[in-house]
Amino acid sequence: MAFAPSPIPSRTQYVLEAIKHGILTGGLSPGQPLVETELAARFGVSKTPVREALKTLAGTGLVVMSQFKGVTVRTVDAAMAHEVYDVRLLLEPEALRRSLTRRASLEPAREALVKADEAADRAERSLANREFHRALYLPCGNPLLARMLDEVRDQAALVSTVAWAAVPSWEQEAGEHREILRLALAGDAEGAARALHDHIASFVQRAFPEGDHA
């Protein structure tokens, strides 16, 4: 008999989501130390759920654990940005192509675009943009491919948070999202995949032009 994995305790989940929200909205800056005792006091919990939350965040690439520096918010530089976006460029257009070949519903993607247009702040817009991209690759028919893209979602969001703080380019990206969806709704799998590739590539090149994307 197979046993399901134990769920993350509620206190750990609460701390995890709170720290992640702080990182992805810019409330916690790249390179900022994350001290267990301070976080435990802030959230009114013991150090144990904080420690477990930080371990999980290290696994998703949002924080870095060092023997000498302790735990810090991951720093975003050109090398890190291009590394994350390389994975997206390799996998995401193919996942979209497969989703369209399977005639998957595009309604979740359409709903995510509406949410992005109606977003009250940068954090809501970023979340809606993540939902849009996920709605395109999730129904690709290959759970492993979808999981691999899920694993870089948080790091991609961190890159965009840092990039938007320097160059607010969400209006251009919103237009590119609409064009990707238009091609997808028209059944043009190759055109939509090409537009998605160009969208991902242009963002990272615009935000981190000094990066070597060899």
Side-chain angles (χ1 to χ4, degrees), residues 27-103:
L28 295 170
S29 305
Q32 181 173 335
L34 298 172
V35 182
E36 287 183 11
T37 51
E38 293 177 0
L39 292 170
R42 180 195 297 187
F43 299 123
V45 298
S46 69
K47 289 198 297 183
T48 299
V50 172
R51 187 176 302 119
E52 293 304 313
L54 292 176
K55 285 180 182 177
T56 300
L57 290 169
T60 65
L62 285 184
V63 307
V64 177
M65 291 183 161
S66 166
Q67 182 179 353
F68 304 105
K69 293 183 179 180
V71 183
T72 56
V73 178
R74 184 168 185 178
T75 300
V76 175
D77 57 18
M80 178 269 191
H82 282 285
E83 180 182 297
V84 171
Y85 274 65
D86 259 344
V87 174
R88 294 186 65 193
L89 283 168
L90 288 168
L91 301 181
E92 208 166 317
E94 176 60 24
L96 171 58
R97 190 181 290 110
R98 294 185 180 201
S99 293
L100 296 179
T101 300
R102 299 177 71 243
R103 300 184 184 279

Side-chain angles (χ1 to χ4, degrees), residues 130-151:
R130 294 172 74 203
E131 289 178 5
F132 172 74
H133 280 273
R134 191 168 195 260
L136 296 179
Y137 69 69
L138 192 63
C140 67
N142 185 324
L144 178 58
L145 176 56
R147 280 200 303 276
M148 291 171 72
L149 284 164
D150 271 349
E151 286 178 5

